[in-house]
Amino acid sequence: SLPTSPPPTVEVPTTQPEVGLAFAPAEIGVNQVADASIKMTIVLTNTNDEPLGGVTFTIDLAPTLRVADDETADKGCGGDLTIERPSDQLHTDTSSVTLKSGTIMKRDRCVVSMRVQFIHSDQPAGSYTFTVRASAIGIDAEQRTSDATIAIMAPSDLPPR
């Protein structure tokens, strides 16, 4: 009889990807809104010892914020990146950015970034917080989230130059 060896162990990822969201610049003056080009960056990190497949994320943008140019989006996670724009002329619908079927190698990260801008130059001063939600298929754990804020500051709130 031939000696038998145990079947190879297949490690399955157990942890959802970590997610980070950032805007740069994160503060702009009300008089800079019309010309502001804000870089939105989403970083997904795999802390598992195995690659993650089926990675997804979604971020809903306020009706007054849109992706400036999807042709220059850095799609560093593979998969299908979809940018949904508002369907109405009044911009009352939200737009969103969604990744489906992305991949992150073991103990690695991937980055998706693009430019966003406010639609109206008369955007009122205030803080606008956005949340990105990320997960991977086949992992029985809560999806991860990350928040980031863009602050539109009145001239009196801007730091002196």
Side-chain angles (χ1 to χ4, degrees):
S1 128
L2 294 171
T4 60
S5 57
T9 306
V10 177
E11 296 294 325
V12 177
T14 57
T15 304
Q16 294 285 11
E18 294 178 2
V19 60
L21 173 65
F23 293 101
E27 295 178 345
I28 57 175
V30 291
N31 58 348
Q32 300 169 318
V33 170
D35 299 321
S37 179
I38 303 163
K39 185 174 184 180
M40 177 176 74
T41 303
I42 300 164
V43 178
L44 299 167
T45 304
N46 179 6
T47 60
N48 294 288
D49 288 325
E50 300 76 32
L52 278 177
V55 175
T56 65
F57 75 71
T58 300
I59 181 168
D60 295 322
L61 302 175
T64 58
L65 190 70
R66 67 177 174 89
V67 174
D69 180 8
D70 39 322
E71 294 302 316
T72 60
D74 180 358
K75 306 166 188 170
C77 297
D80 299 317
L81 187 68
T82 304
I83 298 169
E84 295 287 334
R85 299 198 186 282
S87 59
D88 64 347
Q89 295 294 339
L90 300 175
H91 302 291
T92 56
D93 291 342
T94 59
S95 58
S96 65
V97 178
T98 303
L99 173 74
K100 292 181 181 173
S101 303
T103 303
I104 312 171
M105 300 313 294
K106 67 179 184 177
R107 300 226 171 255
D108 202 358
R109 68 186 187 137
C110 65
V111 178
V112 173
S113 63
M114 63 201 66
R115 298 253 171 226
V116 296
Q117 62 188 166
F118 284 95
I119 294 169
H120 305 293
S121 60
D122 60 348
Q123 189 72 29
S127 293
Y128 300 85
T129 301
F130 302 93
T131 302
V132 62
R133 299 172 303 283
S135 62
I137 292 176
I139 297 179
D140 189 24
E142 291 280 323
Q143 67 180 357
R144 302 273 178 102
T145 62
S146 180
D147 296 332
T149 300
I150 301 172
I152 298 179
M153 305 180 73
S156 60
D157 295 332
L158 290 172
R161 290 186 181 201

